[in-house]
Amino acid sequence: MHNAMRTVSKTLLFGLGLAGLALPAIAGGWQSFQAAFPVAACMDGWSACLTAGGAVGPGMLHDSAGRPLPSDGRVGWFDLQPTASFSPFVGLSAYSGPAGGAVAAPPVQAPPVADAPVADAPVAAAAPVPAPRPDAGSAPPAQDMSVRVSPAPAQPVAAPQAVVNTTPSRPTPVSAPPVAAYTPPAQPVANTAAAAKPLPVAATVAPVVAPPPVANVAVAQTAVDCTDLVLLEPAAMMGSLTTGQSKCLESRLSSETVQTTRAKISLVMINNAEGKGDKSEWERLVKRHLEDIDRSDPDLCYKYGLQLSRGGAGRASGVIRWADYALENKSKWTGNTYKTRVFALFRMKTEAANKMWQDAEATYTTDHTDENEAKSTKYRGMTKDFAREWLDYAKASTQDTKSAMQYCVSAAGTTAFCEG
Amino acid sequence: MSLLFTLIVQSLLSTASPALAKPSDEGVPVRVVVRDDAKTPIATAVVRHPQEADRHRVNAVDGSWEASVLYMPDGTELRFTAGMTLNLEISAPGYTTQVLTYQVRKRRNLVDVTLPKIDTDDSQIEEPTISFGRDEPRE
């Protein structure tokens, strides 16, 4: 009986394993090419815009040799030449529309036409359909814009415009307004009222400009989605995550149970704080990350220690602590990075101990107690040991020994200890 | 009577002899004042002879230290005498240690020592870029 159970369970496990292996293969599709077709290709958060280097849209750009590039790439992959999206210092597009935005726009009424075949006119759905890219072939479907729309609303440069056409079954491109280089092809009417019944279509009808997809924009501004962290990375690097997105990430972080996912969320928030230049927030987030989530990244421990080292003696013990954690994982570094970082970590530790020694000495000179003297002696010993470690490493790695020697001699009181 | 006189003279001589011997036994005082680059006394500075176990703290108010004799770990005394060459290590936390070599004079041995601060410029330290938490495929 037991043997039978074992066989069954082994078979089940084997089957599940096979299914698990197969899943990524099934999931592979257009999602794998998302990075090639960025939804918000422009630096101000819009899908299309005019830059000094030319028009930028979700479709692919091409370099001087005609090789395709993602439109949000700042330099060419092959030739390293600046693309149209090169400059990140682009302000928001000016909004010249009516106050209240697109909500105030009147709904479109399709003009009734007398002599036209009526019965089989196709009608678009009430929600506007993303226009197909002219240069992307069968590109992946556009992603949820809710993540990107939340920055300050600006002029919709190339919003998809619904057009009633003489041949509804085949959308015809409409000539673009002068502001937008990329013009999505026209699509069937996106109007709730018009969608209710079949449209009469005439043989010759002037194109009617429909308002932007009002309902969709409104929903996008209120509903914040932060599930796709990769999509948030560019904004986080620029420090331009919205308050809603930050709150969404914070909420996800508190509810998430998988530690690796928590680490990823936390790193997006850390990068956003750094991009904003908010040092105190950055410190808070990094401290939480290191204390509660993950401290195996030597870069983060190193950087946090370096930040603390710019403070006073009160933060010196933190410097030593996080420098030690970074040194525990120093094997993740290689080559020159290893040499310079390990050297810097020894230096940070020595200087931190020296700060504590100075502080304890200053206290002892004003308050001659045994306790203060013991503290001073302890920190002096730490400085001496750390400086000696630093000096030994500097010698072994053929780096500058001057400062290490100065600290060592200062703490030891004699050159004999340090030169031996 | 003569015995009494002898006793008085002997007792006077015995009390007088240490007073006569004092200047030659005590050593010449040497005074060291430790200051930083801004000529401010360093309250936490210490002075030490290279062969000595103890470190002597300076006066926290004026940064001075004065002595005419030092006691070595083997129990011997090192008295400062005119003409001798004196070696002293002067240090303070956060400052570069200075080794002082001084020839003692008969009087007015006042030595000013300036300790430069140790360079703590961290602008050369490279700051790493924190990457996003991407999964790395196993090799």
Side-chain angles (χ1 to χ4, degrees):
Chain A
M1 183 63 182
H2 282 292
N3 285 338
M5 286 288 284
R6 276 187 190 165
T7 311
V8 169
S9 58
K10 277 181 184 170
T11 312
L12 269 173
L13 281 173
F14 183 67
L16 284 172
L18 277 179
L21 284 174
L23 276 175
I26 293 167
W30 277 114
Q31 295 296 321
S32 311
F33 297 95
Q34 279 179 356
F37 302 102
V39 174
C42 300
M43 287 299 172
D44 60 0
W46 286 101
S47 291
C49 55
L50 274 178
T51 68
V56 177
M60 300 194 93
L61 297 177
H62 294 87
D63 64 10
S64 55
R67 290 172 293 228
L69 296 167
S71 55
D72 59 350
R74 293 175 59 192
V75 289
W77 175 259
F78 300 100
D79 55 7
L80 293 177
Q81 293 302 309
T83 67
S85 305
F86 179 68
S87 172
F89 306 107
V90 177
L92 294 177
S93 309
Y95 179 66
S96 58
V103 181
V108 172
Q109 293 294 332
V113 182
D115 50 352
V118 172
D120 57 348
V123 178
V129 179
R133 295 182 180 88
D135 55 347
S138 53
Q143 295 174 7
D144 183 8
M145 286 293 290
S146 57
V147 176
R148 293 288 183 174
V149 183
S150 17
Q155 180 184 5
V157 178
Q161 296 178 346
V163 173
V164 175
N165 206 300
T166 50
T167 53
S169 58
R170 195 175 164 196
T172 308
V174 177
S175 61
V179 288
Y182 164 61
T183 305
Q187 60 187 43
V189 175
N191 189 321
T192 316
K197 57 181 180 179
L199 284 176
V201 180
T204 53
V205 176
V208 177
V209 177
V214 178
N216 216 24
V217 172
V219 169
Q221 282 176 343
T222 53
V224 177
D225 180 20
C226 59
T227 48
D228 191 344
L229 296 175
V230 177
L231 208 61
L232 296 178
E233 285 177 5
M237 285 178 76
M238 303 289 286
S240 59
L241 285 184
T242 62
T243 312
Q245 285 169 329
S246 296
K247 281 182 180 171
C248 175
L249 288 171
E250 194 68 51
S251 163
R252 261 194 82 190
L253 186 69
S254 57
S255 61
E256 182 63 54
T257 53
V258 181
Q259 201 70 349
T260 50
T261 310
R262 293 186 75 207
K264 288 176 190 173
I265 297 168
S266 177
L267 286 172
V268 170
M269 296 173 75
I270 287 168
N271 272 283
N272 183 54
E274 187 171 18
K276 275 197 292 190
D278 188 346
K279 283 285 179 193
S280 59
E281 176 69 358
W282 184 88
E283 263 188 39
R284 185 187 72 80
L285 291 171
V286 174
K287 184 167 190 279
R288 179 178 67 178
H289 186 96
L290 295 175
E291 295 279 9
D292 302 338
I293 300 171
D294 177 28
R295 61 182 61 157
S296 65
D297 181 358
D299 281 339
L300 200 54
C301 293
Y302 172 94
K303 197 164 182 174
Y304 186 54
L306 187 60
Q307 173 65 18
L308 292 179
S309 73
R310 289 170 182 146
R315 310 175 98 190
S317 59
V319 176
I320 295 169
R321 183 183 177 205
W322 295 112
D324 278 336
Y325 278 119
L327 285 170
E328 277 181 18
N329 295 295
K330 63 181 184 292
S331 57
K332 292 188 181 176
W333 294 320
T334 54
N336 197 45
T337 306
Y338 180 95
K339 271 177 69 175
T340 53
R341 299 259 165 92
V342 172
F343 182 88
L345 284 168
F346 281 129
R347 175 182 173 161
M348 274 191 250
K349 282 180 68 177
T350 307
E351 288 179 350
N354 186 64
K355 273 182 194 168
M356 291 196 288
W357 177 35
Q358 275 182 284
D359 190 53
E361 273 286 320
T363 309
Y364 180 67
T365 52
T366 54
D367 185 12
H368 282 266
T369 63
D370 290 345
E371 189 187 354
N372 288 338
E373 187 176 20
K375 265 189 188 174
S376 173
T377 307
K378 176 188 165 189
Y379 293 138
R380 180 179 154 233
M382 280 170 67
T383 308
K384 192 172 70 173
D385 292 343
F386 292 160
R388 182 60 200 254
E389 277 182 336
W390 179 20
L391 182 64
D392 287 347
Y393 181 75
K395 281 179 185 168
S397 59
T398 60
Q399 296 184 74
D400 183 25
T401 58
K402 186 184 160 195
S403 295
M405 181 62 91
Q406 284 176 341
Y407 278 113
C408 184
V409 173
S410 169
T414 173
T415 52
F417 173 81
C418 306
E419 287 174 347
Chain B
M1 186 64 188
S2 63
L3 181 64
L4 182 64
F5 178 75
T6 307
L7 283 172
I8 290 169
V9 169
Q10 277 185 343
S11 66
L12 279 174
L13 284 174
S14 64
T15 53
S17 56
L20 291 172
K22 193 178 177 183
S24 60
D25 287 354
E26 215 173 46
V28 181
V30 174
R31 183 182 172 87
V32 177
V33 180
V34 188
R35 294 192 174 93
D36 62 11
D37 290 330
K39 298 296 172 194
T40 309
I42 301 174
T44 56
V46 290
V47 179
R48 176 180 169 273
H49 188 273
Q51 291 167 359
E52 202 180 14
D54 295 329
R55 306 176 331 142
H56 308 281
R57 293 177 181 278
V58 299
N59 185 312
V61 177
D62 61 4
S64 70
W65 169 82
E66 185 174 329
S68 56
V69 60
L70 292 174
Y71 302 96
M72 297 294 121
D74 60 0
T76 57
E77 291 180 358
L78 178 68
R79 290 180 192 280
F80 303 160
T81 54
M84 76 177 286
T85 303
L86 183 62
N87 287 315
L88 293 172
E89 289 177 346
I90 295 130
S91 59
Y95 293 87
T96 306
T97 300
Q98 299 283 322
V99 178
L100 171 72
T101 303
Y102 178 72
Q103 191 162 24
V104 180
R105 295 182 297 197
K106 281 185 181 174
R107 62 184 70 84
R108 284 195 290 183
N109 291 291
L110 176 62
V111 187
D112 259 317
V113 177
T114 303
L115 296 186
K117 280 203 169 186
I118 297 175
D119 177 28
T120 54
D121 178 26
D122 65 352
S123 60
Q124 299 292 320
I125 296 181
E126 175 214 3
E127 283 205 40
T129 308
I130 303 305
S131 58
F132 291 97
R134 295 285 179 83
D135 292 327
E136 291 174 13
R138 288 187 180 177
E139 294 174 358

